[in-house]
Amino acid sequence: MKIDVLINQLDSHNEVNILATKRFNPEEVIFIYNENDEALMNSLKKYYETYLPENSLKKIVMKEGDLKSLSRSINENKNKNIIVNLTGGSRINSLELLNICKDNCIKAVYIDIKNKKLYEFDNKIEVINEEYEDLELDKLLKASGGEVINDSTELSNKKDLVLLTKKIYKNLAIWHKYKQKLYESNIFIHNAERPKEIKINLSLLENEEKVLLNKILKSLKDINGIEYFNESSEEVKVYFKNEYLKSFIFKSGTWLEVATNNIINEIKEIDEVKSGVMFLWNDKSKVVRNEVDVIAVKDSIPICISCKDSDKYNEDALNELDVYSKQIGGKNAYKILVATKEPIKSAVKDRAKEMGINLIIFDGNEEKFKNQIKSIIIKK
């Protein structure tokens, strides 16, 4: 049956409104919104003009709980085939709209994208299992006033970085024992004028560290990542053939982002994965630039992941993940913190649970990690 009009309420996250539009494909979509949300409404209007041009959009400004205006929006369209979406926006408006719909024998719907349900309120309440169209991360953000400006996902596709990443997590005990040496500037001496060059001061390394270093240098040379030679018995000069390899080695935690991206990407239920995601968010007073380590999307629901290659994460890391997740996906977003060690402060685990943040300790076991992710995002 052709739907003439779909009535939505503007929400801070509008993926449900978009999915309702795609599901019912009305000739006209009416958005009810508060005058304070004009900027967000204009952003969503641009989205519809770009991605849903076949559905004309009409805007209606009204205050919360304005029963007279809500009734008018229904009455002006009651001779058409109309559906009212109760999912987003003001709870008071949704309840009043439901009551108006019951009085006028108009169908209302509520969409539960997380559990793939469609609730229809007509003569009776009907619950329907639904497969909704998937929305990409870019579109999810644009629909709610944000925008992806950059990501480093391509690093996860580079064969040399994938190889090194696996070497690290298959040897986590060794990695954790020695990784701090990488950040000691008197051992690994960087040249600001020659960013692809470093010198390694061997005099500050123990014999076992020198043996390990020689193995690593040989491996990097074998994959055509570096050239190196001994300038003296106590100094090695290394030339990186590209900057991304050097950055990968000396930027803390990058390997864990690559590992998380690639392992999650192997889960067939996942629709999209991006890592090192930089996004802009307009908080009405200023445009804020933020970064999330890994974002995956399943059934139009974002999965926001923070990666910590240490035990030194605290409540600040949890708060940051919580804020970014709410910006990107609201209450539906999944929140996961992946770390390689249990937190130093045991209270962090309790606080994470209170905030709805899932804590996963990655020990290098790929299948175990995949199953932990699945247990969070896939309903049985």
Side-chain angles (χ1 to χ4, degrees), residues 45-65:
K45 186 172 185 292
K46 288 178 183 176
Y47 180 99
Y48 269 75
E49 290 169 349
T50 303
Y51 300 110
L52 298 167
E54 69 278 9
N55 306 111
S56 67
L57 188 146
K58 179 180 178 182
K59 306 185 297 180
I60 298 179
V61 178
M62 67 177 68
K63 293 179 180 178
E64 183 181 57

PDB file of all heavy atoms in Angstrom, residues 45-65:
ATOM      1  N   LYS A  45      17.736  18.082   6.543  1.00  0.00           N
ATOM      2  CA  LYS A  45      17.088  18.444   5.266  1.00  0.00           C
ATOM      3  C   LYS A  45      18.065  18.246   4.107  1.00  0.00           C
ATOM      4  O   LYS A  45      17.709  17.715   3.049  1.00  0.00           O
ATOM      5  CB  LYS A  45      16.598  19.886   5.314  1.00  0.00           C
ATOM      6  CG  LYS A  45      15.784  20.328   4.100  1.00  0.00           C
ATOM      7  CD  LYS A  45      15.178  21.712   4.337  1.00  0.00           C
ATOM      8  CE  LYS A  45      14.264  22.101   3.193  1.00  0.00           C
ATOM      9  NZ  LYS A  45      14.972  22.329   1.931  1.00  0.00           N
ATOM     10  N   LYS A  46      19.323  18.667   4.323  1.00  0.00           N
ATOM     11  CA  LYS A  46      20.353  18.473   3.289  1.00  0.00           C
ATOM     12  C   LYS A  46      20.585  16.995   3.032  1.00  0.00           C
ATOM     13  O   LYS A  46      20.812  16.570   1.902  1.00  0.00           O
ATOM     14  CB  LYS A  46      21.666  19.141   3.723  1.00  0.00           C
ATOM     15  CG  LYS A  46      21.626  20.665   3.686  1.00  0.00           C
ATOM     16  CD  LYS A  46      22.945  21.243   4.163  1.00  0.00           C
ATOM     17  CE  LYS A  46      22.894  22.766   4.210  1.00  0.00           C
ATOM     18  NZ  LYS A  46      24.148  23.347   4.780  1.00  0.00           N
ATOM     19  N   TYR A  47      20.531  16.205   4.102  1.00  0.00           N
ATOM     20  CA  TYR A  47      20.696  14.753   3.955  1.00  0.00           C
ATOM     21  C   TYR A  47      19.612  14.197   3.048  1.00  0.00           C
ATOM     22  O   TYR A  47      19.885  13.419   2.125  1.00  0.00           O
ATOM     23  CB  TYR A  47      20.637  14.081   5.330  1.00  0.00           C
ATOM     24  CG  TYR A  47      20.806  12.578   5.281  1.00  0.00           C
ATOM     25  CD1 TYR A  47      22.030  11.993   5.556  1.00  0.00           C
ATOM     26  CD2 TYR A  47      19.737  11.740   4.943  1.00  0.00           C
ATOM     27  CE1 TYR A  47      22.202  10.621   5.508  1.00  0.00           C
ATOM     28  CE2 TYR A  47      19.896  10.362   4.893  1.00  0.00           C
ATOM     29  CZ  TYR A  47      21.128   9.810   5.176  1.00  0.00           C
ATOM     30  OH  TYR A  47      21.293   8.450   5.113  1.00  0.00           O
ATOM     31  N   TYR A  48      18.367  14.586   3.310  1.00  0.00           N
ATOM     32  CA  TYR A  48      17.244  14.093   2.498  1.00  0.00           C
ATOM     33  C   TYR A  48      17.383  14.556   1.044  1.00  0.00           C
ATOM     34  O   TYR A  48      17.115  13.776   0.109  1.00  0.00           O
ATOM     35  CB  TYR A  48      15.909  14.562   3.083  1.00  0.00           C
ATOM     36  CG  TYR A  48      15.321  13.574   4.073  1.00  0.00           C
ATOM     37  CD1 TYR A  48      15.847  13.453   5.351  1.00  0.00           C
ATOM     38  CD2 TYR A  48      14.259  12.754   3.732  1.00  0.00           C
ATOM     39  CE1 TYR A  48      15.321  12.531   6.259  1.00  0.00           C
ATOM     40  CE2 TYR A  48      13.720  11.833   4.630  1.00  0.00           C
ATOM     41  CZ  TYR A  48      14.263  11.734   5.894  1.00  0.00           C
ATOM     42  OH  TYR A  48      13.741  10.817   6.773  1.00  0.00           O
ATOM     43  N   GLU A  49      17.787  15.783   0.846  1.00  0.00           N
ATOM     44  CA  GLU A  49      17.952  16.291  -0.524  1.00  0.00           C
ATOM     45  C   GLU A  49      19.035  15.532  -1.271  1.00  0.00           C
ATOM     46  O   GLU A  49      18.931  15.325  -2.487  1.00  0.00           O
ATOM     47  CB  GLU A  49      18.294  17.789  -0.479  1.00  0.00           C
ATOM     48  CG  GLU A  49      17.132  18.656  -0.034  1.00  0.00           C
ATOM     49  CD  GLU A  49      17.541  20.091   0.268  1.00  0.00           C
ATOM     50  OE1 GLU A  49      18.759  20.373   0.332  1.00  0.00           O
ATOM     51  OE2 GLU A  49      16.646  20.930   0.452  1.00  0.00           O
ATOM     52  N   THR A  50      20.063  15.074  -0.530  1.00  0.00           N
ATOM     53  CA  THR A  50      21.184  14.360  -1.164  1.00  0.00           C
ATOM     54  C   THR A  50      20.892  12.881  -1.368  1.00  0.00           C
ATOM     55  O   THR A  50      21.116  12.343  -2.455  1.00  0.00           O
ATOM     56  CB  THR A  50      22.461  14.509  -0.307  1.00  0.00           C
ATOM     57  OG1 THR A  50      22.742  15.899  -0.125  1.00  0.00           O
ATOM     58  CG2 THR A  50      23.644  13.829  -0.984  1.00  0.00           C
ATOM     59  N   TYR A  51      20.380  12.219  -0.320  1.00  0.00           N
ATOM     60  CA  TYR A  51      20.269  10.763  -0.342  1.00  0.00           C
ATOM     61  C   TYR A  51      18.839  10.238  -0.534  1.00  0.00           C
ATOM     62  O   TYR A  51      18.653   9.085  -0.923  1.00  0.00           O
ATOM     63  CB  TYR A  51      20.849  10.173   0.948  1.00  0.00           C
ATOM     64  CG  TYR A  51      22.304  10.498   1.171  1.00  0.00           C
ATOM     65  CD1 TYR A  51      22.705  11.360   2.181  1.00  0.00           C
ATOM     66  CD2 TYR A  51      23.286   9.936   0.356  1.00  0.00           C
ATOM     67  CE1 TYR A  51      24.047  11.658   2.386  1.00  0.00           C
ATOM     68  CE2 TYR A  51      24.629  10.224   0.552  1.00  0.00           C
ATOM     69  CZ  TYR A  51      24.994  11.094   1.569  1.00  0.00           C
ATOM     70  OH  TYR A  51      26.321  11.386   1.760  1.00  0.00           O
ATOM     71  N   LEU A  52      17.838  11.078  -0.230  1.00  0.00           N
ATOM     72  CA  LEU A  52      16.443  10.639  -0.357  1.00  0.00           C
ATOM     73  C   LEU A  52      15.610  11.686  -1.112  1.00  0.00           C
ATOM     74  O   LEU A  52      14.577  12.155  -0.621  1.00  0.00           O
ATOM     75  CB  LEU A  52      15.848  10.396   1.040  1.00  0.00           C
ATOM     76  CG  LEU A  52      16.508   9.307   1.895  1.00  0.00           C
ATOM     77  CD1 LEU A  52      16.032   9.410   3.340  1.00  0.00           C
ATOM     78  CD2 LEU A  52      16.204   7.926   1.331  1.00  0.00           C
ATOM     79  N   PRO A  53      16.055  12.065  -2.305  1.00  0.00           N
ATOM     80  CA  PRO A  53      15.376  13.149  -3.023  1.00  0.00           C
ATOM     81  C   PRO A  53      13.952  12.803  -3.458  1.00  0.00           C
ATOM     82  O   PRO A  53      13.141  13.706  -3.719  1.00  0.00           O
ATOM     83  CB  PRO A  53      16.279  13.369  -4.254  1.00  0.00           C
ATOM     84  CG  PRO A  53      16.974  12.061  -4.448  1.00  0.00           C
ATOM     85  CD  PRO A  53      17.179  11.508  -3.075  1.00  0.00           C
ATOM     86  N   GLU A  54      13.638  11.502  -3.519  1.00  0.00           N
ATOM     87  CA  GLU A  54      12.293  11.096  -3.956  1.00  0.00           C
ATOM     88  C   GLU A  54      11.248  11.287  -2.861  1.00  0.00           C
ATOM     89  O   GLU A  54      10.039  11.224  -3.112  1.00  0.00           O
ATOM     90  CB  GLU A  54      12.303   9.628  -4.420  1.00  0.00           C
ATOM     91  CG  GLU A  54      12.511   8.595  -3.343  1.00  0.00           C
ATOM     92  CD  GLU A  54      13.978   8.390  -2.965  1.00  0.00           C
ATOM     93  OE1 GLU A  54      14.847   9.171  -3.414  1.00  0.00           O
ATOM     94  OE2 GLU A  54      14.263   7.434  -2.218  1.00  0.00           O
ATOM     95  N   ASN A  55      11.697  11.522  -1.623  1.00  0.00           N
ATOM     96  CA  ASN A  55      10.775  11.755  -0.500  1.00  0.00           C
ATOM     97  C   ASN A  55      10.807  13.236  -0.144  1.00  0.00           C
ATOM     98  O   ASN A  55      11.780  13.703   0.457  1.00  0.00           O
ATOM     99  CB  ASN A  55      11.175  10.920   0.711  1.00  0.00           C
ATOM    100  CG  ASN A  55      11.320   9.438   0.405  1.00  0.00           C
ATOM    101  OD1 ASN A  55      12.421   8.899   0.426  1.00  0.00           O
ATOM    102  ND2 ASN A  55      10.227   8.760   0.098  1.00  0.00           N
ATOM    103  N   SER A  56       9.767  13.975  -0.505  1.00  0.00           N
ATOM    104  CA  SER A  56       9.748  15.408  -0.192  1.00  0.00           C
ATOM    105  C   SER A  56       9.658  15.601   1.320  1.00  0.00           C
ATOM    106  O   SER A  56       9.032  14.801   2.028  1.00  0.00           O
ATOM    107  CB  SER A  56       8.580  16.099  -0.887  1.00  0.00           C
ATOM    108  OG  SER A  56       7.352  15.655  -0.361  1.00  0.00           O
ATOM    109  N   LEU A  57      10.284  16.665   1.817  1.00  0.00           N
ATOM    110  CA  LEU A  57      10.371  16.888   3.257  1.00  0.00           C
ATOM    111  C   LEU A  57       9.689  18.196   3.639  1.00  0.00           C
ATOM    112  O   LEU A  57       9.897  19.229   3.000  1.00  0.00           O
ATOM    113  CB  LEU A  57      11.840  16.900   3.700  1.00  0.00           C
ATOM    114  CG  LEU A  57      12.104  16.939   5.206  1.00  0.00           C
ATOM    115  CD1 LEU A  57      13.356  16.151   5.558  1.00  0.00           C
ATOM    116  CD2 LEU A  57      12.281  18.388   5.681  1.00  0.00           C
ATOM    117  N   LYS A  58       8.884  18.131   4.693  1.00  0.00           N
ATOM    118  CA  LYS A  58       8.206  19.315   5.213  1.00  0.00           C
ATOM    119  C   LYS A  58       8.560  19.471   6.687  1.00  0.00           C
ATOM    120  O   LYS A  58       8.592  18.484   7.434  1.00  0.00           O
ATOM    121  CB  LYS A  58       6.686  19.165   5.049  1.00  0.00           C
ATOM    122  CG  LYS A  58       5.882  20.344   5.576  1.00  0.00           C
ATOM    123  CD  LYS A  58       4.394  20.105   5.359  1.00  0.00           C
ATOM    124  CE  LYS A  58       3.554  21.250   5.925  1.00  0.00           C
ATOM    125  NZ  LYS A  58       2.099  20.982   5.764  1.00  0.00           N
ATOM    126  N   LYS A  59       8.843  20.696   7.110  1.00  0.00           N
ATOM    127  CA  LYS A  59       9.230  20.965   8.494  1.00  0.00           C
ATOM    128  C   LYS A  59       8.086  21.655   9.239  1.00  0.00           C
ATOM    129  O   LYS A  59       7.464  22.578   8.709  1.00  0.00           O
ATOM    130  CB  LYS A  59      10.468  21.863   8.537  1.00  0.00           C
ATOM    131  CG  LYS A  59      11.649  21.357   7.735  1.00  0.00           C
ATOM    132  CD  LYS A  59      12.878  22.239   7.925  1.00  0.00           C
ATOM    133  CE  LYS A  59      12.654  23.643   7.417  1.00  0.00           C
ATOM    134  NZ  LYS A  59      13.837  24.515   7.599  1.00  0.00           N
ATOM    135  N   ILE A  60       7.832  21.198  10.478  1.00  0.00           N
ATOM    136  CA  ILE A  60       6.828  21.848  11.326  1.00  0.00           C
ATOM    137  C   ILE A  60       7.458  22.134  12.680  1.00  0.00           C
ATOM    138  O   ILE A  60       7.877  21.215  13.388  1.00  0.00           O
ATOM    139  CB  ILE A  60       5.576  20.971  11.517  1.00  0.00           C
ATOM    140  CG1 ILE A  60       4.877  20.710  10.176  1.00  0.00           C
ATOM    141  CG2 ILE A  60       4.612  21.636  12.490  1.00  0.00           C
ATOM    142  CD1 ILE A  60       3.644  19.826  10.277  1.00  0.00           C
ATOM    143  N   VAL A  61       7.526  23.406  13.058  1.00  0.00           N
ATOM    144  CA  VAL A  61       8.082  23.806  14.353  1.00  0.00           C
ATOM    145  C   VAL A  61       6.969  23.825  15.390  1.00  0.00           C
ATOM    146  O   VAL A  61       5.895  24.374  15.153  1.00  0.00           O
ATOM    147  CB  VAL A  61       8.721  25.210  14.266  1.00  0.00           C
ATOM    148  CG1 VAL A  61       9.263  25.634  15.633  1.00  0.00           C
ATOM    149  CG2 VAL A  61       9.818  25.238  13.239  1.00  0.00           C
ATOM    150  N   MET A  62       7.220  23.191  16.526  1.00  0.00           N
ATOM    151  CA  MET A  62       6.248  23.278  17.630  1.00  0.00           C
ATOM    152  C   MET A  62       6.943  23.007  18.957  1.00  0.00           C
ATOM    153  O   MET A  62       8.003  22.370  19.002  1.00  0.00           O
ATOM    154  CB  MET A  62       5.077  22.317  17.419  1.00  0.00           C
ATOM    155  CG  MET A  62       5.414  20.851  17.480  1.00  0.00           C
ATOM    156  SD  MET A  62       3.934  19.807  17.309  1.00  0.00           S
ATOM    157  CE  MET A  62       3.462  20.115  15.616  1.00  0.00           C
ATOM    158  N   LYS A  63       6.332  23.499  20.020  1.00  0.00           N
ATOM    159  CA  LYS A  63       6.877  23.279  21.354  1.00  0.00           C
ATOM    160  C   LYS A  63       6.492  21.884  21.852  1.00  0.00           C
ATOM    161  O   LYS A  63       5.497  21.306  21.427  1.00  0.00           O
ATOM    162  CB  LYS A  63       6.346  24.336  22.317  1.00  0.00           C
ATOM    163  CG  LYS A  63       6.840  25.749  22.008  1.00  0.00           C
ATOM    164  CD  LYS A  63       6.259  26.755  22.983  1.00  0.00           C
ATOM    165  CE  LYS A  63       6.750  28.163  22.666  1.00  0.00           C
ATOM    166  NZ  LYS A  63       6.167  29.175  23.579  1.00  0.00           N
ATOM    167  N   GLU A  64       7.302  21.386  22.771  1.00  0.00           N
ATOM    168  CA  GLU A  64       7.019  20.079  23.348  1.00  0.00           C
ATOM    169  C   GLU A  64       5.666  20.089  24.050  1.00  0.00           C
ATOM    170  O   GLU A  64       5.341  21.018  24.782  1.00  0.00           O
ATOM    171  CB  GLU A  64       8.115  19.692  24.343  1.00  0.00           C
ATOM    172  CG  GLU A  64       7.924  18.307  24.939  1.00  0.00           C
ATOM    173  CD  GLU A  64       9.003  17.942  25.939  1.00  0.00           C
ATOM    174  OE1 GLU A  64       9.169  18.707  26.914  1.00  0.00           O
ATOM    175  OE2 GLU A  64       9.675  16.920  25.747  1.00  0.00           O
ATOM    176  N   GLY A  65       4.865  19.050  23.781  1.00  0.00           N
ATOM    177  CA  GLY A  65       3.580  18.912  24.450  1.00  0.00           C
ATOM    178  C   GLY A  65       2.486  19.816  23.925  1.00  0.00           C
ATOM    179  O   GLY A  65       1.421  19.935  24.552  1.00  0.00           O
TER     180      GLY A  65
END
